[in-house]
Amino acid sequence: MKKIKSLVKSAVQKVKDVFAVQEATLNAKAHSVLDGTKAEAYVDTGVKVLIAVVLGALILTLLYSLFNETMAPAVEERVEAMFNYVG
């Protein structure tokens, strides 16, 4: 009788342990879902991409205006002078 009682107690304890592990896993998943921090990385990445695109467009605009107004006319004059050479 004592053996049966101890077997039942150990079986009940094993079942309780399994349920405790499952409960802890479920609680961890529920907390991560309810916490909502997973999507935060997507928002941060989107903001970084948007900032990079805006800064890239600004830099390209500045470079275009710089080369168009200061560098390109001087280069254009030199190239025209080379081809219009009347030696």
Side-chain angles (χ1 to χ4, degrees):
M1 191 68 166
K2 287 185 180 183
K3 281 187 176 183
I4 294 173
K5 199 173 189 180
S6 68
L7 284 174
V8 169
K9 281 186 178 182
S10 67
V12 167
Q13 187 60 40
K14 286 181 184 179
V15 170
K16 283 182 180 180
D17 291 342
V18 169
F19 276 114
V21 169
Q22 292 298 324
E23 181 185 15
T25 304
L26 185 63
N27 279 339
K29 286 181 183 178
H31 281 289
S32 70
V33 168
L34 293 176
D35 192 19
T37 57
K38 277 188 170 182
E40 199 170 296
Y42 295 119
V43 173
D44 291 346
T45 304
V47 169
K48 288 176 187 175
V49 168
L50 185 62
I51 289 172
V53 168
V54 169
L55 287 177
L58 181 64
I59 289 171
L60 285 176
T61 303
L62 291 173
L63 286 174
Y64 179 75
S65 66
L66 176 71
F67 285 121
N68 194 23
E69 292 178 7
T70 59
M71 301 282 292
V75 172
E76 185 178 341
E77 289 173 5
R78 288 183 184 171
V79 170
E80 287 177 3
M82 284 192 304
F83 284 107
N84 289 333
Y85 181 71
V86 187

